[in-house]
Amino acid sequence: MTKILLLNIPSGPFPSDYPPVAISRVFEGIDPSLNCDISFFNLDYYRPSEEEIKNRIQTYSPQIIGISAILTPAYAYVKELSNFIRKNFPKVVQVLGGQMAVISNIILLKTKIDFCVVGESEPIFSNLIRRLQEDTFKPKNMENYTDIKGLVLLKGNNPYFTGYEKEDFHNGMRQFNYKLISRFTSLENYIHKIDGQYFEVRLINSDMSDFLNLIYQNNRNKNMATVFASKGCVNKCSFCHRFFKGYRVNVVDEVIDYIENMKKDLNVGMVMFAEENFGTHIRATSKLMEYFKTSGLNWGAGAVRVKTVNEQIIKEWQEAGCVHINFGIESLSQKMLDVMEKRSTVEETLNAIRLCYKHGVVTIPGLVIGMPGETEETLEETIHNLASVIPDDIKVTFEIYINYVQAIPGTPIYEYARRIGLIGPTLEDEEKYIESLYDVDANDLRHFLNFTDYEKEELVYWKYYITLELIAAYIKKHGYIKVFKYKKTRVYRIGLIYKLLPRNIRKFLLKNLMIVKYFGIGKLIHVYKKKNLSQNTKKFKDVNRSIRKIIQELPVTLREDEVSTAIFKRGH
């Protein structure tokens, strides 16, 4: 019997509330005829020490360790883990799958990973297991594996991609198997109360009771769980990684059966659709709505395109139990939407937000700031436009979240950074940058490659400025007394003071205070000296079109190690 230990990788400073779906799909996808015994150690949830990892591997004694690595910024952890495993268990074959395989050339040359799986795990992983069994788990001659499509391996001293395999779409669309995974890990992060951690961290400036009033009374003490109605995205945003081609929809009756089983087995009263692009398939979504109208459930969708909705659709969804929708907004400057390739307009975005507020569906606009072409003028456009849709009812949830753009491998913005020299040309330069992304919040400027014509330190105040100006606009709309009475969080208390100052003065003070807070008074003096003494070349200000099109015009020289794998970094 072949023993396989599956590991997932911590994706941030705290355990994720997103279930290990990829692990579940690997479990169910491996060919049963291979006679495999499979186990799972949830590194993201348990955050074990090296000694605990060592003990787990010793106890189980696997021939293969499969590492599920969704996020490329966790590369530094993968490298350390892989080296640790090879040092202590040199005979174990290490296989990596997930979106981190986009940097398979770096992984194979800088870690002890033996194989990377590209795309859906099946049938690639099963084909690899079969060949490893034939080789008695001693893959000395990599030529023996080059006929297995979907792998990246070392051929000679360079990474070699064997070509795309026809993927098992059915396996790639499977729902998360809660019952199966519960044999190996606690489910408390993935099945929790509706008023639990998922909304606690997302509604930090709102009264949770206002949100809970939207939930059917019978559901308020029940659990929330994750569901997938589709996979993939129809868009190609220039900051987003497209590692899987196309957009596919699950069979609606199977989705409904899955939800019904969760209602019965897990006391679920709300489901969250966790895919990237809910609602795009009109017929499938309509069938789901018919089900939800009589299901007694509430539901939400983590990602919907603004073009997908209109008033009739939002009203229908709300009547079918919808309480929460997030849109891919990113900016409310048309210039920046074009740079990002959002394929949407400011008015379409505002209309989607407005309709949610009108019909009692919580939406949390998310912004990505700092793309090439971003200026204080584009930020002002975003603030002005968002302020125009502040809800009339003070009890309607009004939240935003803001991230600085993060250039990750597989995205056009990453290739743009490489081609203009923000990421060095060597393998070591590229690895150093990717390692710097580990355990860094996207709100943190430490990771940020500066695509603007401002000093990097000047950008630190941007997210605070957007937030406080929107609160100032909120106070203007609802009045000081009402806001003081109903909004008791710290940021609104700060906003009440902030609003008292004239706009130019509060902006000036906020900018300088944030530079001093994060970088010190010396850096503030340095910034002003540099701005006054140097001729600042306007390199990014006039960027006003698709980053994807711009990089097609920029020269590129491939290193020998990336000749075979460069295709991954272009994204789909």
Side-chain angles (χ1 to χ4, degrees):
M1 177 174 286
T2 299
K3 287 190 172 184
I4 301 172
L5 178 62
L6 301 178
L7 309 174
N8 63 343
I9 300 303
S11 55
F14 305 104
S16 174
D17 56 24
Y18 183 82
V21 179
I23 294 289
S24 175
R25 289 171 178 166
V26 170
F27 256 105
E28 297 191 285
I30 292 175
D31 186 343
S33 70
L34 292 170
N35 192 29
C36 295
D37 181 83
I38 311 167
S39 188
F40 169 45
F41 192 15
N42 192 343
L43 303 187
D44 177 58
Y45 177 77
Y46 291 109
R47 305 294 168 115
S49 65
E50 285 189 343
E51 192 61 30
E52 289 172 314
I53 295 172
K54 183 178 179 180
N55 289 339
R56 183 64 174 266
I57 297 173
Q58 281 177 332
T59 301
Y60 186 62
S61 192
Q63 288 102 336
I64 300 171
I65 289 180
I67 299 173
S68 174
I70 297 176
L71 300 176
T72 306
Y75 165 76
Y77 184 96
V78 168
K79 181 179 180 179
E80 184 177 349
L81 176 66
S82 173
N83 291 338
F84 174 78
I85 293 171
R86 183 53 46 88
K87 178 182 177 181
N88 290 280
F89 306 96
K91 294 182 181 180
V92 175
V93 179
Q94 299 183 39
V95 182
L96 180 138
Q99 295 201 18
M100 195 181 291
V102 71
I103 56 167
S104 52
N105 61 314
I106 297 174
I107 289 168
L108 292 174
L109 290 171
K110 294 293 187 177
T111 78
K112 302 302 180 182
I113 301 291
D114 298 295
F115 300 93
C116 291
V117 172
V118 175
E120 304 287 3
S121 63
E122 291 300 326
I124 305 164
F125 195 32
S126 289
N127 292 339
L128 175 60
I129 295 167
R130 187 175 292 109
R131 188 65 54 83
L132 286 168
Q133 289 174 338
E134 295 169 1
D135 246 358
T136 62
F137 306 101
K138 298 174 183 175
K140 300 296 184 184
N141 183 5
M142 286 299 180
E143 287 286 349
N144 291 341
Y145 297 83
T146 56
D147 63 322
I148 301 175
K149 297 296 185 184
L151 294 179
V152 186
L153 47 83
L154 283 180
K155 185 178 179 183
N157 294 319
N158 283 312
Y160 175 75
F161 177 45
T162 62
Y164 286 107
E165 172 64 279
K166 185 177 180 181
E167 296 171 338
D168 181 350
F169 290 149
H170 174 71
N171 185 65
M173 298 288 287
R174 290 181 194 268
Q175 303 288 350
F176 180 63
N177 191 328
Y178 288 94
K179 188 174 182 179
L180 170 66
I181 299 303
S182 70
R183 290 162 43 195
F184 306 98
T185 184
S186 168
L187 295 180
E188 68 173 357
N189 266 36
Y190 319 124
I191 296 287
H192 45 75
K193 297 297 183 185
I194 293 172
D195 63 349
Q197 66 190 58
Y198 183 90
F199 286 109
E200 277 181 351
V201 300
R202 290 164 175 84
L203 302 178
I204 56 174
N205 294 311
S206 300
D207 190 333
M208 183 67 76
S209 64
D210 290 337
F211 170 70
L212 289 177
N213 286 336
L214 303 176
I215 304 292
Y216 299 148
Q217 189 167 356
N218 289 341
N219 291 335
R220 290 176 189 173
N221 290 317
K222 292 185 179 181
N223 294 322
M224 185 174 78
T226 298
V227 182
F228 297 88
S230 64
K231 184 173 182 176
C233 187
V234 299
N235 236 25
K236 292 184 176 182
C237 301
S238 55
F239 56 84
C240 191
H241 184 199
R242 294 262 57 77
F243 200 47
F244 298 97
K245 292 182 179 179
Y247 175 75
R248 307 189 288 276
V249 179
N250 265 321
V251 177
V252 176
D253 287 339
E254 293 179 2
V255 175
I256 292 171
D257 287 344
Y258 179 73
I259 295 171
E260 283 295 306
N261 286 331
M262 289 197 301
K263 279 176 65 178
K264 180 179 64 176
D265 298 338
L266 299 171
N267 192 32
V268 166
M270 179 174 175
V271 297
M272 180 62 67
F273 289 98
E275 62 257 38
E276 300 170 275
N277 201 353
F278 178 82
T280 294
H281 195 287
I282 296 173
R283 289 196 304 276
T285 308
S286 295
K287 191 172 181 180
L288 271 175
M289 292 309 106
E290 289 303 311
Y291 160 72
F292 277 118
K293 285 176 184 177
T294 59
S295 70
L297 291 169
N298 292 107
W299 63 276
V304 176
R305 293 196 73 218
V306 296
K307 284 179 174 289
T308 297
V309 300
N310 55 37
E311 183 150 24
Q312 179 183 343
I313 288 172
I314 291 288
K315 188 177 179 182
E316 180 189 7
W317 288 7
Q318 189 274 334
E319 290 172 351
C322 180
V323 294
H324 174 56
I325 299 171
N326 276 347
F327 300 103
I329 289 172
E330 328 314 351
S331 177
L332 280 163
S333 160
Q334 192 60 53
K335 171 189 172 183
M336 297 314 302
L337 292 177
D338 294 341
V339 169
M340 296 174 182
E341 296 184 73
K342 291 298 299 181
R343 294 194 295 169
S344 59
T345 67
V346 168
E347 189 48 46
E348 287 170 335
T349 304
L350 291 173
N351 187 53
I353 298 170
R354 195 181 291 117
L355 290 173
C356 284
Y357 290 155
K358 177 180 177 180
H359 292 284
V361 177
V362 171
T363 187
I364 308 172
L367 303 178
V368 174
I369 59 175
M371 286 284 289
E374 190 85 87
T375 64
E376 293 194 343
E377 288 72 28
T378 61
L379 291 185
E380 294 290 356
E381 288 178 58
T382 292
I383 293 167
H384 172 78
N385 287 320
L386 262 179
S388 73
V389 292
I390 289 171
D392 295 326
D393 185 348
I394 200 166
K395 291 193 174 183
V396 171
T397 299
F398 181 64
E399 294 267 1
I400 62 166
Y401 67 92
I402 305 168
N403 288 327
Y404 292 97
V405 65
Q406 192 172 50
I408 60 172
T411 64
I413 190 65
Y414 181 83
E415 287 306 299
Y416 178 75
R418 291 186 67 194
R419 296 188 192 189
I420 65 172
L422 290 181
I423 299 172
T426 69
L427 177 68
E428 288 69 28
D429 290 333
E430 193 173 358
E431 183 193 36
K432 183 179 179 181
Y433 168 70
I434 295 170
E435 286 181 318
S436 75
L437 300 177
Y438 179 59
D439 217 10
V440 175
D441 193 303
N443 273 314
D444 194 324
L445 271 179
R446 286 180 297 165
H447 81 283
F448 181 69
L449 295 179
N450 192 355
F451 297 106
T452 78
D453 293 321
Y454 304 92
E455 294 299 313
K456 187 173 180 177
E457 293 80 7
E458 292 181 271
L459 309 183
V460 72
Y461 90 102
W462 277 9
K463 61 178 181 177
Y464 300 100
Y465 180 64
I466 295 169
T467 300
L468 287 171
E469 284 301 325
L470 287 172
I471 288 176
Y474 192 89
I475 294 167
K476 182 178 180 181
K477 184 179 184 75
H478 291 288
Y480 274 91
I481 295 175
K482 215 171 181 182
V483 171
F484 183 80
K485 181 178 178 181
Y486 286 102
K487 298 293 182 180
K488 300 184 184 300
T489 60
R490 183 170 178 266
V491 69
Y492 273 94
R493 292 294 186 249
I494 294 171
L496 288 165
I497 300 169
Y498 179 84
K499 175 72 169 64
L500 295 171
L501 300 170
R503 185 160 185 166
N504 286 341
I505 293 176
R506 67 196 188 211
K507 179 179 179 180
F508 174 81
L509 289 174
L510 179 66
K511 177 178 180 178
N512 290 287
L513 285 171
M514 289 299 101
I515 294 175
V516 171
K517 177 181 177 180
Y518 284 94
F519 303 104
I521 188 69
K523 185 60 72 172
L524 176 65
I525 295 169
H526 170 78
V527 166
Y528 277 101
K529 279 185 177 179
K530 192 167 183 180
K531 288 175 70 70
N532 290 330
L533 297 177
S534 64
Q535 293 292 323
N536 188 16
T537 304
K538 300 299 180 184
K539 185 176 181 180
F540 298 105
K541 179 182 178 182
D542 296 328
V543 173
N544 60 4
R545 61 194 179 103
S546 159
I547 293 297
R548 197 182 310 270
K549 292 180 180 178
I550 292 174
I551 63 176
Q552 290 172 357
E553 301 166 4
L554 297 173
V556 58
T557 302
L558 294 179
R559 301 186 306 262
E560 191 176 3
D561 65 271
E562 59 182 344
V563 170
S564 184
T565 60
I567 187 173
F568 307 147
K569 294 184 181 176
R570 299 171 194 157
H572 289 307

